[in-house]
Amino acid sequence: TQPGVEDLWYFRRVSPLAYLCGDSSERNTEKPLPAQSADGAAILSVFPEGGWATVRTAETAPNRGLAFVFRSSPYGNFSHSHSNQNDFARHVSGETLLQPSGYYDGCGTHHQTSWVWPTKSHNCLTLSDAGQLLRSQEARGAILGPWEEKTFAYFQGHGDLAYQAFAERCRRHVFYFKREKVFLLLDEVRAKPGMNFQVQWNAHSIGKFAVRRDPQRFALHRGKSRLLGTILYHENAFVSLTEGFDPPFFTVLKENLKFWGNQHHLRFTAATHAWQRNLGVLLAPGLPGEDPTPIQSWIEGGWERARFGEIELELNLGLRWAPKRREDGLSPFLKFRVAGEGWALSPAGLEKI
């Protein structure tokens, strides 16, 4: 049982009065954030009882800043919520580059129930085309382990219960490396016994995705803002690019069509079926007048490796299908160095090494 997930039971999760009943620190067992960053002001904000986290830079000058908004909510995928635990949106210099997909064209329409609600229309994982529990109070999420250093910020999205039909563990670890202005999204997935799946990384944008010759890299731009993505997976994989909606939205108001524009979708599929997978994606923004931080990536000795700025990291992809299931215990699956210090991430959490 993870602190902050099971401890917040029904009434605390669904009643807005929980936000009005004095200090909630007794109900929040997570480690508090240190009020420290490279410029003396924290850029990571976490609201655990609402299930939101944000990373903001240059708040007083948004045309020069970055914003990352993340959801993993203890309210579940119920009522007006969608099946999108561990979802995120990405803004660069005031331009939205990645966001959930779809439009509200009325309650209960085909577009709402078959596109907007399901996981496939969000910036979330799907597992062999299967998403999270739909319309379920049991599909609870949480934001755990937030931490901020002068060189990076970190938190974890807990999605185990949202994917419980197929997986016993589904976490999204989020790092932001401050000097390099690079995000790392690391999804850690482990199937239920007897199951294997293909991990699929989904992203959606108003802008068109451009994919390079290798499927590990993609690019986006809107106006003068850019975003380059590097997927740390040099094994059997493919990318699917689509646009539009299935099913499309419905509207009888013709004037809405000029606001409800087309949207574009990218899906990266790790084609090899596995019962355990660690999939990392690096997102490097390009502010107006600045180039994104160059990223080198390769595979060596069974570990994915990347270098950008002063950062060096290595990622274990996890285990493929095996006749007899075996456990790796608490071995680190991510190691990196920043400002001369070594860090490791394992199922037990983040620690300095």
Side-chain angles (χ1 to χ4, degrees):
T1 300
Q2 294 292 323
V5 180
E6 300 297 342
D7 292 344
L8 296 174
W9 189 230
Y10 185 81
F11 289 104
R12 287 180 183 169
R13 288 200 306 274
V14 303
S15 174
L17 296 177
Y19 295 91
L20 306 176
C21 297
D23 184 9
S24 62
S25 59
E26 293 182 0
R27 300 195 300 273
N28 178 14
T29 58
E30 301 168 16
K31 182 181 294 186
L33 283 171
Q36 176 176 288
S37 74
D39 58 1
I43 61 171
L44 171 61
S45 300
V46 177
F47 309 92
E49 292 194 354
W52 293 95
T54 64
V55 174
R56 294 285 308 277
T57 69
E59 290 189 41
T60 59
N63 62 326
R64 299 295 304 164
L66 308 172
F68 181 91
V69 183
F70 186 89
R71 175 187 184 267
S72 193
S73 171
Y75 290 85
N77 298 336
F78 182 70
S79 185
H80 290 275
S81 296
H82 303 159
S83 295
N84 68 330
Q85 304 289 16
N86 295 348
D87 196 4
F88 70 93
R90 188 77 173 83
H91 304 262
V92 177
S93 187
E95 294 282 359
T96 303
L97 292 180
L98 294 174
Q99 82 288 319
S101 173
Y103 295 100
Y104 179 75
D105 61 343
C107 182
T109 65
H110 296 315
H111 178 69
Q112 186 190 32
T113 59
S114 298
W115 179 263
V116 175
W117 285 353
T119 309
K120 64 182 179 180
S121 68
H122 296 270
N123 298 319
C124 299
L125 292 186
T126 48
L127 307 177
S128 294
D129 294 331
Q132 302 173 17
L133 297 181
L134 190 65
R135 308 285 288 165
S136 170
Q137 291 177 313
E138 296 303 312
R140 302 185 298 277
I143 297 174
L144 303 176
W147 188 259
E148 185 160 359
E149 294 279 326
K150 290 184 177 180
T151 51
F152 72 92
Y154 164 80
F155 63 90
Q156 173 191 151
H158 182 295
D160 297 12
L161 297 176
Y163 289 93
Q164 64 181 276
F166 308 99
E168 61 183 24
R169 186 177 178 89
C170 194
R171 310 291 174 89
R172 172 163 280 180
H173 305 272
V174 178
F175 292 85
Y176 177 62
F177 297 99
K178 297 178 180 180
R179 178 177 296 180
E180 293 73 15
K181 299 180 181 177
V182 172
F183 280 87
L184 167 64
L185 275 64
L186 172 52
D187 289 294
E188 174 200 359
V189 191
R190 187 169 64 222
K192 283 191 167 183
M195 291 188 176
N196 295 277
F197 46 64
Q198 294 174 315
V199 171
Q200 299 162 318
W201 193 88
N202 299 284
H204 308 274
S205 179
I206 298 172
K208 269 188 178 181
F209 291 92
V211 177
R212 302 184 181 182
R213 292 182 180 179
D214 53 30
Q216 289 84 18
R217 296 182 184 272
F218 64 88
L220 273 171
H221 74 272
R222 291 191 69 203
K224 297 181 179 180
S225 300
R226 292 181 290 164
L227 186 68
L228 298 184
T230 301
I231 302 172
L232 302 179
Y233 191 89
H234 288 81
E235 296 196 349
N236 186 20
F238 60 92
V239 168
S240 304
L241 297 177
T242 58
E243 60 180 286
F245 314 97
D246 182 21
F249 60 79
F250 170 79
T251 179
V252 295
L253 300 175
K254 299 294 184 183
E255 60 268 24
N256 281 350
L257 295 178
K258 62 183 178 183
F259 302 109
W260 294 6
N262 196 17
Q263 294 178 0
H264 302 268
H265 320 291
L266 177 146
R267 170 175 284 180
F268 178 90
T269 300
T272 303
H273 286 78
W275 66 265
Q276 185 183 43
R277 180 66 71 211
N278 303 314
L279 182 63
V281 179
L282 294 166
L283 299 176
L287 294 166
E290 296 182 13
D291 290 328
T293 299
I295 296 174
Q296 297 175 294
S297 66
W298 68 98
I299 190 168
E300 180 182 329
W303 286 68
E304 290 285 335
R305 301 175 187 271
R307 182 182 298 119
F308 50 96
E310 297 181 358
I311 309 297
E312 295 183 4
L313 64 82
E314 53 186 34
L315 169 66
N316 189 314
L317 293 178
L319 300 175
R320 298 182 180 182
W321 175 86
K324 184 177 180 181
R325 182 183 177 92
R326 69 184 192 270
E327 300 291 345
D328 269 357
L330 300 179
S331 301
F333 51 85
L334 173 71
K335 301 176 183 178
F336 65 90
R337 294 191 64 82
V338 53
E341 295 182 334
W343 295 80
L345 180 66
S346 73
L350 180 67
E351 62 180 350
K352 188 180 294 187
I353 56 175

